[in-house]
Amino acid sequence: MQIVKLDATDSTNAYLKRMLSSNTLDDFTVVVAKSQTSGRGQRNAKWISEPGKNLTVSVLKKINALPLPQQFYLSMLVSLAVLDTLKKLQVPDLHIKWPNDILSGNSKICGILIENVLSGRHIRASVIGVGLNVNQTSFVNLPNATSLKLLLGRSLDLDEVLHVFLENLRPLFLQLDGVQRPALRKRYLQHLFKKDQPATFQIEGGRVMGFIRDISPDGKLILEMEGALRREFGLKEIKLLY
């Protein structure tokens, strides 16, 4: 495993993709940076991280032609790898907020951004970006953010946290095999935030009340609304309000 450590970069995902375009990289090449100037999250949101305080890492995973409609299994897998890492560190009350934010209670501790390299209608590699709040204790204009230090009352070594994460991530890729995917999906749904609980959502046209019931095969959120009506929503079509 090659680990590239940087003092600063625009984003670890962007840096790793540039490496991939100009070099033949080994599977599981890792890029980690103390500071990102243009970190990104889901919905094109900026990922703001205090330099030297948090884990900002990207991992290259080569894949044996995963069909594009099944790409959400990657999101499930990485979410569970982060969850297992935080469990080992004894972080309490963990959930996965669809599609792949990691929460402790109602507070966000980690964001994930997966960017795939395609060959036709198949994924041949993924650049997996993870931003985990570790030792930062102040989050300006981010009322729902938290960190390991705030939750555990102590500072943690970033290299040790990285090691635990990589240890949890690698074996989970074996579950991309079709036989093991149902178990992967079951675990993801068991940890899904607000599943089968009443919640309020923002959709086009206003706010609605509903219940998260399931995830579609292509990763859309399945919501049960008034009158037992079920609808599927993509990432840009719905936002959970909490």
Side-chain angles (χ1 to χ4, degrees):
M1 180 192 305
Q2 180 187 10
I3 300 180
V4 179
K5 293 188 175 182
L6 306 171
D7 284 330
T9 188
D10 49 355
S11 83
T12 54
N13 265 29
Y15 187 94
L16 187 49
K17 286 192 294 182
R18 288 193 295 271
M19 287 180 65
L20 185 60
S21 68
S22 58
N23 299 280
T24 301
L25 299 180
D26 292 336
D27 187 32
F28 239 74
T29 296
V30 177
V31 173
V32 60
K34 292 180 181 178
S35 175
Q36 292 187 127
T37 57
S38 301
R40 293 177 296 124
Q42 294 285 358
R43 307 175 195 263
N44 294 317
K46 290 184 178 180
W47 182 266
I48 299 171
S49 177
E50 192 174 334
K53 294 291 183 73
N54 302 316
L55 183 63
T56 50
V57 59
S58 295
V59 180
L60 171 67
K61 183 67 186 78
K62 296 183 178 180
I63 296 167
N64 186 20
L66 179 71
L68 191 57
Q70 298 173 19
Q71 64 181 313
F72 196 70
Y73 282 103
L74 290 169
S75 189
M76 293 183 192
L77 181 156
V78 179
S79 298
L80 290 168
V82 174
L83 202 79
D84 290 343
T85 299
L86 298 181
K87 283 182 179 179
K88 188 168 184 178
L89 296 171
Q90 299 184 320
V91 177
D93 198 17
L94 292 166
H95 312 280
I96 302 168
K97 180 175 173 282
W98 178 84
N100 52 24
D101 284 344
I102 309 301
L103 309 182
S104 175
N106 289 338
S107 298
K108 181 175 176 178
I109 191 170
C110 180
I112 296 166
L113 180 64
I114 300 173
E115 297 179 282
N116 295 316
V117 180
L118 304 181
S119 178
R121 293 285 295 167
H122 290 80
I123 298 169
R124 65 177 179 86
S126 282
V127 174
I128 298 160
V130 172
L132 175 62
N133 297 331
V134 180
N135 293 321
Q136 186 169 334
T137 57
S138 177
F139 298 91
V140 179
N141 297 323
L142 295 170
N144 292 320
T146 190
S147 69
L148 294 179
K149 185 171 183 177
L150 289 172
L151 292 165
L152 301 177
R154 59 186 174 88
S155 296
L156 288 92
D157 183 275
L158 295 180
D159 286 337
E160 289 181 9
V161 176
L162 174 63
H163 177 71
V164 175
F165 169 63
L166 295 176
E167 270 194 337
N168 282 296
L169 180 63
R170 187 188 286 272
L172 276 174
F173 276 103
L174 298 175
Q175 295 191 23
L176 275 181
D177 177 84
V179 176
Q180 299 191 62
R181 285 179 194 164
L184 192 69
R185 176 186 176 84
K186 182 179 180 181
R187 278 195 66 207
Y188 177 89
L189 290 172
Q190 285 173 343
H191 292 286
L192 190 59
F193 184 61
K194 292 291 186 181
K195 185 175 184 294
D196 298 323
Q197 299 176 30
T200 304
F201 302 84
Q202 181 72 45
I203 64 172
E204 185 178 358
R207 295 185 177 188
V208 297
M209 178 77 74
F211 296 82
I212 296 172
R213 294 305 193 196
D214 206 346
I215 303 295
S216 72
D218 59 352
K220 291 183 178 179
L221 193 68
I222 299 178
L223 206 66
E224 182 176 317
M225 302 164 70
E226 187 177 357
L229 172 68
R230 291 200 176 199
R231 287 183 58 187
E232 295 183 4
F233 295 91
L235 179 62
K236 296 180 180 180
E237 298 172 328
I238 191 169
K239 183 178 180 180
L240 173 62
L241 303 176
Y242 70 101

